[in-house]
Amino acid sequence: MQEIIGTSNKVIEVDLSSQSYREIPIAEKDLELYLGGKGLGLKLFYDRVPAGIDPFSDENEFIVMTGVYVGTGAPCAGRFAAVTKSPLTGLMGTGSCGGPFGMALKTSGWDGLIVKGKAKSPTYLVISSKGVEFKDAKKFWGKDTQTVQKALEKEGSGALVIGQAGENKVLYANVCSGHRFLGRCGMGAVLGSKNLKAIVAKGNEFKILPKNPKKFDKARKKTLKFINRNQITSILYRQFGTNANVNLSNAGGILPVRNFTGGSHGEAHKISGEEMAERFDTKFSTCKPCAILCGHKGNINGEIRQIPEYETVGTFGSNLEIFDPVAISNFNELCTKYGLDTISTAVTIAWAMEATEKGLIKTDLKFGSPDNIEKTITDIAFRRGFGDDLANGTRKLSQKYGGADFAINVKGLEMAAYDPRGAWGQALSYAVANRGACHLSTASFAVEVYLNMHDPFSLKGKGSMIAFIEDVTCAINSMHICQFTAFAVELEPFVVKYTPTFLLNPMITYLNPIATKFMDVSLWPEMWSGITGKRMGMFKWIKAGRRIHVLERYMNTREGISRKDDTLPQRFLTEGRHCDPQQRTVPLDQLIDSYYKARGFDKNGIPKDRTLKRLKIEKK
Amino acid sequence: MIPYNFTFLSHPKICSGLKALEHIPFELESLNARKPLVITSNRWDKKGLSKTLIKALYDSNIIIGALFTNAPFYPSVTIINELSQLYRDRGCDSIIALGCGGVAYIAKAVNMVVSLKTDILQCADITITSPLKPMIIVPTADCQGGEMAAIAYYERFEKQSDFLYPDVIVIDSRITRHANSQEVANSALTALAHAIEACGIDAPNPINDAYAHTALQFIYQYLQRTIKRPSYKDGSVAIVNAAACADTAFSNAPQGIVHVLAQVIALDTNLQAGMVMGILLRYYLADKLHTKGGIRPELLLALAGIDTYAKTPEKERQKTAYEYLIQCIDTTREFVPATLKGLNIPRYKLKEYARLAATKNKQYKESAYMELLEKAWEGK
Ligand code: SF4
């Protein structure tokens, strides 16, 4: 088998319109500045695609970048990133997926893939080190993700597939790889608009080796040690999956209940990871390779199924007041088949339930009742009847029918399963996140509520804390490694681990951003450095993360984003909750001011020229 | 020459200027009301405007039934129902809206609910046949258009009725001078667009024209100075008066192309409708100048006064009026870009906006909406 030392530094560009392809080199300088994965994907998009294009036009590009870690044996690195312009938000859409496609693409000799143009008829691609084959996908059109993946198994070791939702351009259709997804921002609809049903990568053609094996191995082993020592990664998530979050969120008052009107519920334990592990006799079913092992499958009604993740359980479960894990699993299976983002689907259904209750629309949907939900999911995927409207997401629905105050989205992207009123850092993070109400932009709820490292209701230090976590997260998603490794890498080093919480909390709250300077996140850049052979210190690495985040923001400001869009649904700004005796709402304006200051944005949320210059971002 | 026929209705009484707030007790009493529900927003409450209002009612027989200081920007069914309940629970008999935008829209919707004794969603299908509960608006200078008109906006509904005019509009500089320059610019541009569209219609209406002309006159005279210094008392009062006059003119004319498009775009982009109106208006006027009928030369009289009007040769009046109007729009340049492109509105969205506008208001064809949008986007 041939070898790639470090990275291949080339991506393959496929033009669907002319059925041609070519190799594009990646500049060494760009790799250093943008690290790989999401960062490089964004940089490529920025250089190649003008602002203001229609996400469904031929000009829109779908870029997949594998990152530096994948294939090297780095823990939890079987991941890849995708970048496109989202039809749901009209902004940059990015995603991270742990399916087998990333590994297959990288071991076919490509660091990434760019798809542009539009195929005349349904097509699928087979990519190998030799190039690209354009194949007729008519026989797959109209088929679900699982059937198509199965049929394509022989053509390569990893595939990206869309379901019927993507074909019908449901604005939040996802892209499936194995049993993992590029879930958010409607990437499936972009592929559907390009008549592209699937992309298969042959894989197993190259071996990926680090340039400096000794350095890499040292950092890798230490990371593994931390992962196996950390309570969250080695016990909580490993045993109960992400659904371990249910009980934590419920206790912390951030579990969404009844379309985000409440933050905890007496029946929540029924859908918790602990309960499901026992009831469904769960086994590991994870991204590969992975050392944390958060993904699980289990025996549900005599069928071996993937256990729904926390976001699915929170949004389809407590948020619809459904506490039957079997029903939630049924919804999850349907979304998987049709290729629908579970978060957006469920939050849109929650909107429909509340709008029905309030008399704005007429449907058979009711909180607490699983009846009609499966039919609604099918209607959405096929854009049938009212499903055609639901397929456009909560923002467009509320523009047409009213109910914007309970249309739970930011910038058009539906919110994940953490109520921002219970963690103001998370509230700020949702409001300013580049792709919309994204929980992965910082996952600050964990710092504030699960780990109690930052007072969830303090205004102090929130702006700089969120900016810091965003930088680190962007860097993580560009290496590319699972975000859950952050629990181990950030919390296990000596200073954080052995400082008692009663000291750590005020330090992070009142001494931020100084406190963040003491956080040791050097393991990640060390592994990157070991693989590429390039020098990468911790601060340079964090700066690269900042560069990626600010570039994405700048790209979004070219699409019209400014302070007016950095907001939350009215519900979070004006309505208190029963679970909070103080009936707190989010004081967003003050939070945003401190964030813009920490970020180097002007009062209107636009990156200042000097900020761009400092980060070596060329203004266009 | 008097037109063959026309209709005009302006219901509200305007109390404007020094100590206007102190008129409220008298106005309420003459409307046979004593216990108002006062609605305002958090922002105005924090700036002390509710205190100023309450102070003005001290030595009177007025008892404030309830003071709600958390009115959001979006007039949702939830908040309307909540406030309607509050109105009933406290036995209120009238409503005072302290503020513009969401505050005024919510107040009007609550008034419909409590007066018609029905659900807010039913209101859309009901024809209002009798006066609603007494309602006073105390506008701030961040008018979004329609607050003082015979129209109510709630959720995504729009309801027009002569009974939706407020009874009294109280314009007091202690209230109006708190908006910022951007808000003043938006208010002025909304008023400008409404006034121009109201007096640009084919069927002339001399009384409506008088209102529209007054609005134009105030804007031309005061906009520049008020934008520079929004706390300028006379200026902010004049801009709000202009908004009130323009709203009345708007209520007595069919909705124009600029208004309809701006509403559609604002809904989709979170931008202020006034800002979008300002941009569209520039291209609408340029277009109008070259079409048959063109810009009404009398606008020059309103904008520049009798001397300039008389001095300008008849043939030139249209063009000079146009130049004056563009000068007004240019005053807001610092806050409002010249094109829709400058607002970062993607070009591919224009088609959708034209389609939505054509569904909303069938008076113009989709192609006409599209033509204006294209011009405003490119700046041609
Ligand atoms: S921890 Fe979970 S999400 Fe992360 S790589 Fe492993 S299985 Fe995938």
Side-chain angles (χ1 to χ4, degrees):
Chain A
M1 197 184 279
Q2 299 175 71
E3 287 175 354
I4 292 172
I5 310 291
T7 49
S8 69
N9 292 340
K10 56 178 189 173
V11 297
I12 188 158
E13 180 202 79
V14 181
D15 186 347
L16 291 169
S17 305
S18 62
Q19 297 226 332
S20 59
Y21 62 88
R22 65 182 178 129
E23 183 184 315
I24 292 188
I26 298 284
E28 297 262 328
K29 190 183 96 219
D30 283 347
L31 181 66
E32 245 172 277
L33 290 175
Y34 292 93
L35 303 174
K38 174 182 169 179
L40 263 182
L42 280 166
K43 173 74 167 100
L44 282 168
F45 199 96
Y46 180 60
D47 289 344
R48 298 167 52 90
V49 185
I53 57 149
D54 182 348
F56 285 148
S57 69
D58 299 5
E59 286 170 287
N60 194 11
E61 296 190 352
F62 176 75
I63 299 178
V64 177
M65 290 301 300
T66 58
V68 167
Y69 285 2
V70 70
T72 58
C76 311
R79 306 188 69 86
F80 58 98
V83 174
T84 191
K85 186 166 179 186
S86 161
L88 184 63
T89 62
L91 308 173
M92 291 315 303
T94 55
S96 163
C97 175
F101 182 77
M103 180 74 87
L105 185 67
K106 180 97 178 228
T107 55
S108 283
W110 303 104
D111 279 356
L113 159 74
I114 301 170
V115 181
K116 65 176 195 179
K118 182 178 182 166
K120 283 192 192 79
S121 60
T123 302
Y124 74 97
L125 307 173
V126 179
I127 298 172
S128 69
S129 58
K130 295 189 188 71
V132 182
E133 285 177 74
F134 296 82
K135 295 195 168 182
D136 186 0
K138 277 194 200 111
K139 59 178 183 274
F140 297 137
W141 206 253
K143 299 251 160 60
D144 67 74
T145 55
Q146 302 310 302
T147 311
V148 177
Q149 279 205 111
K150 201 144 188 48
L152 292 173
E153 256 170 12
K154 287 201 186 94
E155 305 222 24
S157 59
L160 276 181
V161 179
I162 61 164
Q164 294 94 328
E167 293 170 11
N168 295 321
K169 294 192 228 159
V170 173
L171 296 191
Y172 43 89
N174 65 19
V175 184
C176 173
S177 178
H179 49 78
R180 306 311 241 185
F181 303 89
L182 286 166
R184 312 229 64 197
C185 300
M187 293 189 178
V190 173
L191 292 190
S193 75
K194 293 186 179 303
N195 273 326
L196 187 59
K197 180 72 183 176
I199 310 169
V200 186
K202 199 158 172 260
N204 297 325
E205 294 178 82
F206 288 86
K207 218 168 153 182
I208 318 291
L209 297 172
K211 250 194 190 145
N212 184 341
K214 226 168 141 193
K215 187 174 183 182
F216 169 70
D217 220 42
K218 199 174 151 209
R220 186 183 71 94
K221 281 191 180 134
K222 202 165 171 191
T223 311
L224 275 172
K225 195 172 101 190
F226 282 176
I227 287 175
N228 289 326
R229 202 165 81 180
N230 181 269
Q231 298 261 346
I232 297 176
T233 51
S234 70
I235 301 176
L236 216 56
Y237 279 7
R238 198 171 284 171
Q239 284 186 9
F240 310 121
T242 48
N243 287 319
N245 287 4
V246 171
N247 283 340
L248 293 171
S249 294
N250 197 40
I254 57 169
L255 184 75
V257 176
R258 209 181 170 89
N259 199 24
F260 287 84
T261 50
S264 61
H265 197 286
E267 289 185 68
H269 63 92
K270 291 185 186 163
I271 50 170
S272 66
E274 290 82 341
E275 176 80 18
M276 283 201 233
E278 203 180 311
R279 188 165 161 192
F280 302 132
D281 186 21
T282 57
K283 307 269 176 327
F284 297 128
S285 171
T286 68
C287 315
K288 289 188 183 73
C290 177
I292 298 174
L293 310 169
C294 83
H296 291 81
K297 59 188 176 191
N299 186 336
I300 301 179
N301 277 1
E303 236 182 85
I304 299 299
R305 289 183 185 177
Q306 195 69 21
I307 300 289
E309 298 292 336
Y310 168 76
E311 304 306 328
T312 310
V313 168
T315 50
F316 265 124
S318 54
N319 200 38
L320 303 185
E321 290 194 318
I322 292 169
F323 296 95
D324 173 7
V326 178
I328 298 170
S329 162
N330 293 343
F331 309 150
N332 187 49
E333 290 292 300
L334 268 186
C335 289
T336 301
K337 264 173 65 182
Y338 295 141
L340 281 168
D341 172 25
T342 50
I343 302 178
S344 285
T345 309
V347 174
T348 303
I349 291 175
W351 176 90
M353 286 177 172
E354 190 164 345
T356 306
E357 224 173 44
K358 295 208 153 103
L360 292 170
I361 54 169
K362 282 198 184 93
T363 69
D364 299 327
L365 295 163
K366 245 202 304 197
F367 284 112
S369 161
D371 300 346
N372 298 310
I373 294 183
E374 288 178 34
K375 181 184 170 292
T376 306
I377 294 172
T378 310
D379 287 348
I380 292 173
F382 290 92
R383 282 189 173 273
R384 265 186 223 139
F386 189 58
D388 189 26
D389 275 333
L390 293 172
N392 292 332
T394 50
R395 178 168 67 176
K396 286 239 152 80
L397 275 164
S398 63
Q399 282 170 359
K400 188 165 175 185
Y401 297 100
D405 56 327
F406 57 87
I408 308 298
N409 70 74
V410 176
K411 302 182 179 96
L413 186 76
E414 282 71 23
M415 189 173 280
Y418 309 92
D419 191 314
R421 280 163 295 190
W424 289 354
Q426 185 57 45
L428 171 62
S429 174
Y430 274 143
V432 298
N434 280 328
R435 66 175 184 175
C438 164
H439 61 297
L440 292 172
S441 178
T442 62
S444 159
F445 60 87
V447 179
E448 295 171 281
V449 180
Y450 298 176
L451 301 167
N452 193 22
M453 285 169 71
H454 198 290
D455 180 354
F457 302 112
S458 159
L459 290 170
K460 288 259 168 353
K462 286 276 194 276
S464 50
M465 179 186 78
I466 293 303
F468 172 76
I469 308 180
E470 279 175 345
D471 294 347
V472 171
T473 308
C474 274
I476 292 174
N477 282 330
S478 302
M479 314 292 285
H480 182 162
I481 190 167
C482 177
Q483 255 177 265
F484 295 155
T485 55
F487 289 117
V489 176
E490 287 178 11
L491 304 180
E492 287 304 314
F494 187 80
V495 178
V496 179
K497 190 170 171 87
Y498 295 105
T499 309
T501 314
F502 72 87
L503 278 179
L504 201 60
N505 184 321
M507 265 169 69
I508 296 182
T509 305
Y510 296 101
L511 296 178
N512 215 319
I514 302 165
T516 49
K517 295 257 184 309
F518 288 98
M519 289 205 87
D520 180 7
V521 292
S522 57
L523 278 179
W524 285 312
E526 270 167 33
M527 273 196 283
W528 189 93
S529 204
I531 297 167
T532 59
K534 294 180 204 309
R535 285 165 68 110
M536 177 63 70
M538 188 174 84
F539 293 110
K540 188 173 167 191
W541 180 81
I542 294 173
K543 189 172 179 185
R546 187 173 319 137
R547 178 175 302 117
I548 295 161
H549 185 89
V550 174
L551 173 69
E552 195 180 353
R553 172 72 181 192
Y554 175 60
M555 289 164 85
N556 283 346
T557 59
R558 298 195 311 159
E559 305 288 346
I561 287 299
S562 64
R563 187 177 186 126
K564 68 184 184 339
D565 306 282
D566 290 340
T567 185
L568 291 171
Q570 197 164 285
R571 167 152 290 166
F572 303 117
L573 306 177
T574 55
E575 288 176 33
R577 301 169 304 161
H578 290 309
C579 69
D580 176 11
Q582 294 182 47
Q583 301 274 310
R584 277 171 287 223
T585 54
V586 181
L588 194 61
D589 267 348
Q590 295 164 64
L591 290 165
I592 285 188
D593 284 338
S594 67
Y595 171 81
Y596 284 173
K597 209 168 146 211
R599 267 268 167 252
F601 294 171
D602 66 17
K603 282 231 153 64
N604 205 21
I606 314 289
K608 289 180 186 163
D609 284 354
R610 63 160 196 270
T611 307
L612 295 177
K613 209 170 151 197
R614 211 178 288 150
L615 294 171
K616 300 198 174 99
I617 296 170
E618 256 174 62
K619 213 174 158 185
K620 277 192 194 167
Chain B
M1 199 171 70
I2 188 146
Y4 183 66
N5 70 0
F6 65 90
T7 56
F8 178 81
L9 174 81
S10 172
H11 175 73
K13 175 176 183 179
I14 298 181
C15 299
S16 170
L18 194 68
K19 300 229 171 200
L21 285 178
E22 277 74 4
H23 287 232
I24 292 177
F26 169 77
E27 298 301 342
L28 276 175
E29 278 181 38
S30 52
L31 289 162
N32 210 6
R34 286 237 158 84
K35 202 174 176 190
L37 161 69
V38 179
I39 303 173
T40 191
S41 69
N42 212 299
R43 177 182 170 203
W44 300 131
D45 183 53
K46 274 192 189 147
K47 291 215 166 187
L49 303 197
S50 35
K51 268 194 200 139
T52 312
L53 174 76
I54 292 166
K55 251 191 206 164
L57 309 181
Y58 267 172
D59 299 324
S60 70
N61 293 328
I62 304 300
I63 304 159
I64 293 187
L67 171 66
F68 186 80
T69 57
N70 214 5
F73 48 86
Y74 181 74
S76 67
V77 169
T78 325
I79 193 76
I80 293 164
N81 285 340
E82 195 183 312
L83 286 181
S84 307
Q85 197 51 45
L86 183 68
Y87 181 99
R88 291 189 205 105
D89 290 349
R90 299 288 177 90
C92 299
D93 57 10
S94 52
I95 298 173
I96 299 180
L98 173 57
C100 274
V103 172
Y105 301 147
I106 289 167
K108 283 190 183 187
V110 170
N111 200 3
M112 281 199 286
V113 175
V114 295
S115 307
L116 304 173
K117 296 196 177 68
T118 180
D119 185 79
I120 182 64
L121 293 171
Q122 311 288 326
C123 293
D125 307 321
I126 294 177
T127 312
I128 308 176
T129 51
S130 57
L132 305 180
K133 302 280 180 202
M135 177 165 163
I136 295 180
I137 287 195
V138 186
T140 38
D142 61 333
C143 312
Q144 287 167 33
E147 292 95 336
M148 293 163 274
I151 196 164
Y153 298 107
Y154 54 96
E155 283 291 356
R156 291 295 162 231
F157 302 98
E158 190 178 301
K159 183 154 186 77
Q160 274 181 302
S161 162
D162 289 345
F163 296 105
L164 283 169
Y165 272 123
D167 294 288
V168 185
I169 300 168
V170 178
I171 304 172
D172 190 307
S173 63
R174 284 170 288 174
I175 302 295
T176 55
R177 68 197 169 93
H178 290 279
N180 58 38
S181 301
Q182 175 75 61
E183 288 165 341
V184 170
N186 292 346
S187 301
L189 289 172
T190 312
L192 199 63
H194 281 170
I196 291 172
E197 292 206 307
C199 63
I201 54 169
D202 296 336
N205 185 332
I207 305 185
N208 210 25
D209 287 355
Y211 271 79
H213 291 178
T214 309
L216 294 177
Q217 195 183 342
F218 282 150
I219 291 169
Y220 184 74
Q221 278 179 15
Y222 288 96
L223 182 59
Q224 199 168 9
R225 265 190 291 169
T226 319
I227 279 203
K228 267 197 197 134
R229 193 162 64 86
S231 59
Y232 169 43
K233 287 183 191 171
D234 290 359
S236 64
V237 166
I239 297 293
V240 179
N241 267 294
C245 293
D247 268 0
T248 308
F250 163 78
S251 304
N252 284 282
Q255 293 188 359
I257 190 166
V258 171
H259 169 87
V260 176
L261 278 175
Q263 293 291 347
V264 168
I265 295 174
L267 188 64
D268 188 56
T269 55
N270 279 352
L271 289 162
Q272 289 290 326
M275 195 186 267
V276 185
M277 281 189 207
I279 296 173
L280 292 171
L281 195 58
R282 182 186 296 273
Y283 303 95
Y284 166 79
L285 287 169
D287 235 17
K288 203 125 177 63
L289 187 66
H290 299 113
T291 50
K292 212 177 129 208
I295 293 171
R296 306 255 303 270
E298 302 91 271
L299 293 188
L300 182 62
L301 181 63
L303 290 159
I306 186 71
D307 289 348
T308 315
Y309 182 76
K311 261 193 265 166
T312 313
E314 211 175 320
K315 266 201 234 151
E316 304 263 303
R317 282 180 189 155
Q318 277 203 3
K319 195 158 176 281
T320 319
Y322 168 77
E323 282 163 4
Y324 270 80
L325 289 169
I326 294 296
Q327 199 186 323
C328 280
I329 300 173
D330 280 344
T331 311
T332 62
R333 253 279 163 74
E334 201 186 321
F335 305 97
V336 182
T339 60
L340 291 179
K341 195 178 175 183
L343 282 180
N344 283 342
I345 289 174
R347 188 173 201 145
Y348 73 91
K349 284 264 184 183
L350 303 185
K351 242 191 201 158
E352 185 187 328
Y353 296 150
R355 190 177 44 78
L356 284 171
T359 343
K360 202 170 168 228
N361 189 318
K362 297 197 169 58
Q363 201 191 334
Y364 301 91
K365 282 196 185 130
E366 193 177 321
S367 55
Y369 287 116
M370 192 61 194
E371 200 183 323
L372 179 58
L373 282 171
E374 292 267 11
K375 283 180 185 158
W377 194 86
E378 275 183 13
K380 278 186 185 163

